[in-house]
Amino acid sequence: MEDLIFESGAISTITINRPKALNALNRAVLEEITRVLRDVRHDASVRVLIVTGAGDRAFVAGADIAAMADMEIVEGLEFTRLGHRVMHTFEELPIPVIAAVNGFALGGGLELALACDLIIASEKARFGQPEINLGIIPGFGGTQRLPHRIGHARARELIMTGEMFDAKSGCEWGLVNKVVAPDQLIPETRKLAEKLASKSGFALRQAKAALRAAATMEEDAGLRFEQNTFGGLFACADKREGMKAFLEKREAKWQHK
Ligand code: CAA
């Protein structure tokens, strides 16, 4: 599908490719993302996933307004459910997912970035939940994930005013991990992806699951989840190898199990 480019490898990349519509997400793109994520999930050779937008203007400027304009209630509900499924699938992928935000990340675009584990942003990136200006509210998870990530006060202001913010503010608020010059976005994102790919894939998977628990569980349950996960790792090859390598002062050779 030409609206989505998937480059497969140990570090795989999904590029939303509708630059003329600033990479807006329509049903077809969301369904194609679902299909690609299913393949990624079942391919043990993929260690890190990068998500970005084609062109130099937008990551994703939101859900496709032209497509939503004629939707009635049933289609609207189906569309939000599809979007939620896609964002949930990103969150539930067992590998780290990095959003490389090259430009506008608005509405569904910010919601897509929020479903990723890490965000690297170009100095040109602009974020926001402008749905209020269309007479709607965020529909791919923004009302829940944004306050979790940047706090209720700021999320309320952003969702109620629809105002945009820049990458520097996103970094100060704990949304963005790093801001880089536009021409450094892909090199810096790949550098981070390579660093992650050099770790034990199995330990990373457990770290991601435990970090997810911090967002989805009560603290007591999350702390128990961490204990059980930590304990479980002591049965695994990479824990034995990692500690042995440290004590022998050499690089670990991970088996990813
Ligand atoms: N859906 C469909 N098309 C979009 C789009 C979107 N979300 N965003 C931009 N486009 C299209 C424009 O219609 C325009 O198409 P034409 O050339 O055919 O007219 C093209 O992309 C370029 O956009 P602009 O001419 O508007 O570019 P600009 O530089 O003047 O403005 C912008 C850039 C500020 C990002 C502006 O395009 C804009 O405000 N876009 C809409 C952002 C938005 O409201 N996003 C939220 C969508 S709702 C949502 O996402 C709901 C949800 O949570 C699920």
Side-chain angles (χ1 to χ4, degrees):
M1 187 206 200
E2 60 191 31
D3 288 350
L4 194 84
I5 302 167
F6 178 60
E7 292 157 276
S8 170
I11 297 169
S12 290
T13 304
I14 289 178
T15 306
I16 318 292
N17 185 36
R18 301 184 69 212
K20 284 193 185 131
L22 301 187
N23 303 320
L25 299 173
N26 59 20
R27 198 178 284 141
V29 172
L30 289 168
E31 277 163 3
E32 185 62 9
I33 296 176
T34 306
R35 198 191 60 71
V36 167
L37 292 184
R38 198 180 310 127
D39 291 349
V40 167
R41 189 179 190 91
H42 294 109
D43 183 347
S45 69
V46 183
R47 310 284 308 289
V48 181
L49 180 64
I50 295 172
V51 185
T52 194
D56 59 0
R57 297 210 56 216
F59 173 68
V60 166
D64 190 319
I65 300 168
M68 285 187 297
D70 292 331
M71 288 183 191
E72 296 290 338
I73 181 163
V74 173
E75 293 102 321
L77 275 170
E78 280 170 2
F79 192 57
T80 181
R81 286 182 186 136
L82 174 61
H84 269 260
R85 273 202 304 280
V86 169
M87 303 312 156
H88 184 72
T89 308
F90 273 112
E91 279 189 331
E92 291 291 321
L93 273 187
I95 55 172
V97 183
I98 310 173
V101 178
N102 46 317
F104 292 111
L106 303 173
L110 174 51
E111 291 167 306
L112 174 58
L114 283 165
C116 298
D117 296 296
L118 300 159
I119 301 176
I120 307 292
S122 148
E123 286 159 351
K124 281 174 45 187
R126 292 287 176 280
F127 300 83
Q129 299 282 178
E131 289 89 344
I132 200 77
N133 299 325
L134 299 166
I136 56 171
I137 66 167
F140 292 171
T143 62
Q144 308 303 301
R145 292 192 182 98
L146 193 62
H148 273 301
R149 199 70 82 89
I150 66 168
H152 287 274
R154 282 209 173 95
R156 282 176 189 193
E157 186 177 338
L158 289 166
I159 288 172
M160 289 180 177
T161 64
E163 273 170 16
M164 291 190 215
F165 58 97
D166 62 12
K168 190 165 159 282
S169 301
C171 206
E172 284 165 11
W173 299 345
L175 172 75
V176 170
N177 293 86
K178 191 171 186 182
V179 184
V180 298
D183 64 343
Q184 288 306 302
L185 181 66
I186 294 305
E188 284 287 332
T189 304
R190 284 202 70 87
K191 212 178 350 165
L192 176 60
E194 277 156 21
K195 189 182 279 183
L196 296 173
S198 75
K199 311 291 178 193
S200 158
F202 189 72
L204 267 183
R205 173 187 290 232
Q206 308 310 318
K208 178 163 174 169
L211 286 160
R212 279 277 296 139
T216 58
M217 288 183 184
E218 294 290 335
E219 193 174 351
D220 278 359
L223 289 169
R224 269 196 302 281
F225 185 91
E226 181 189 273
Q227 291 167 41
N228 291 336
T229 307
F230 181 85
L233 284 163
F234 281 64
C236 299
D238 281 354
K239 174 265 172 192
R240 283 194 290 277
E241 166 63 7
M243 296 197 182
K244 196 159 177 279
F246 175 83
L247 295 172
E248 292 171 1
K249 302 189 189 306
R250 61 170 173 82
E251 290 275 305
K253 292 190 191 67
W254 305 119
Q255 294 179 42
H256 308 295
K257 58 186 190 184

